[in-house]
Amino acid sequence: EVQLVESGGGLVQPGGSLRLSCAVSGFTFSSYWMHWVRQVPGKGLEWVSRIKTDGTQITYADSVKGRFTISRDNVKGTLYLQMSSLRAEDTAVYYCARDLISSRGLDKWGQGTLVTVSS
Amino acid sequence: QSALTQPASVSGSPGQSITMSCTGTSGDVGGYNFVSWYQHHPGKVPKLMIYDVTIRPSGVSNRFSGSKSGNTASLTVSGLQAEDEADYYCSSYTSYSTVVFGGGTKLTVL
């Protein structure tokens, strides 16, 4: 069974940092592009970032560029999102998601982890 | 990277069909056949319903269908059922090698 399990969310002060992890199982992690998507409570989905199978291609949404860093460890089967210079507007549930084919659809999602940026 | 435009809400009675739209630009929806649709029940995980404009993943009901004309993609749900009530999001690959979502449409089954 395919599983994606996020962790690392919590309460952080504005300007602070946090690292999210997404541990996967049930599929060959190194064969899939991976994404982070977030959802502000009560609002819509917002794409955050994606990373190629081997980590050599990475793109970010403008709203997080320069502050967030996506990475992966194909040996550990884990996706990461390092978040820094956090702002109140980064408060959201963060989902990791598996890319079906070249960013044409996200077919498996984790249950999400809540990040709250507040003083 | 502006969000794709979706109507805030649509509604229909059980058994009826509804269509919701998703409007972008030539840099996303209009430029690629890489539009996907997600169903999201509150408190649950988003579910991929359509990818590549028209393709249903295995296990998705054939009551769901997708199409595209120019910069606007559409999702049609036929034979509405109570369990179809959810939020629906469209998404597209973009010319910036990013992904963009729509603001979401709340489907209400009357």
Side-chain angles (χ1 to χ4, degrees), chain A residues 4 6 22 24 27 29 32-37 47 49-51 70 79 94-100 105-110, chain B residues 38 45-46 101:
Chain A
L4 295 82
E6 302 94 337
C22 171
V24 312
F27 66 97
F29 180 64
Y32 290 85
W33 290 62
M34 296 293 295
H35 297 243
W36 287 99
V37 176
W47 179 81
S49 181
R50 70 169 190 165
I51 184 169
I70 190 173
L79 175 73
Y94 285 75
Y95 297 97
C96 63
R98 187 179 80 170
D99 190 333
L100 178 62
L106 305 180
D107 68 333
K108 298 294 182 184
W109 296 61
Chain B
Y38 302 86
V45 171
F101 280 93

Side-chain angles (χ1 to χ4, degrees), chain B residues 32-103:
Chain B
Y32 305 90
N33 287 324
F34 295 160
V35 175
S36 52
W37 290 88
Y38 302 86
Q39 178 189 65
H40 192 196
H41 289 102
K44 293 196 172 182
V45 171
K47 178 183 179 182
L48 178 65
M49 305 301 285
I50 296 284
Y51 69 96
D52 287 1
V53 180
T54 63
I55 302 176
R56 282 187 309 276
S58 175
V60 173
S61 171
N62 60 9
R63 298 186 297 104
F64 292 83
S65 61
S67 62
K68 191 186 85 167
S69 177
N71 295 338
T72 299
S74 299
L75 175 71
T76 297
V77 185
S78 59
L80 272 176
Q81 299 179 2
E83 57 262 35
D84 298 333
E85 185 163 297
D87 297 319
Y88 290 82
Y89 296 90
C90 62
S91 177
S92 176
Y93 180 73
T94 83
S95 59
Y96 300 101
S97 298
T98 62
V99 174
V100 63
F101 280 93

Side-chain angles (χ1 to χ4, degrees), chain A residues 58-117:
Chain A
I58 289 172
T59 51
Y60 298 96
D62 286 346
S63 57
V64 307
K65 197 176 298 182
R67 301 187 300 119
F68 289 13
T69 301
I70 190 173
S71 62
R72 64 191 297 160
D73 185 328
N74 285 345
V75 174
K76 293 183 177 179
T78 304
L79 175 73
Y80 303 100
L81 186 68
Q82 178 68 47
M83 304 184 295
S84 60
S85 302
L86 283 162
R87 308 165 180 167
E89 54 264 37
D90 294 318
T91 294
V93 173
Y94 285 75
Y95 297 97
C96 63
R98 187 179 80 170
D99 190 333
L100 178 62
I101 313 170
S102 302
S103 300
R104 290 146 62 181
L106 305 180
D107 68 333
K108 298 294 182 184
W109 296 61
Q111 83 289 348
T113 186
L114 177 62
V115 172
T116 303
V117 184

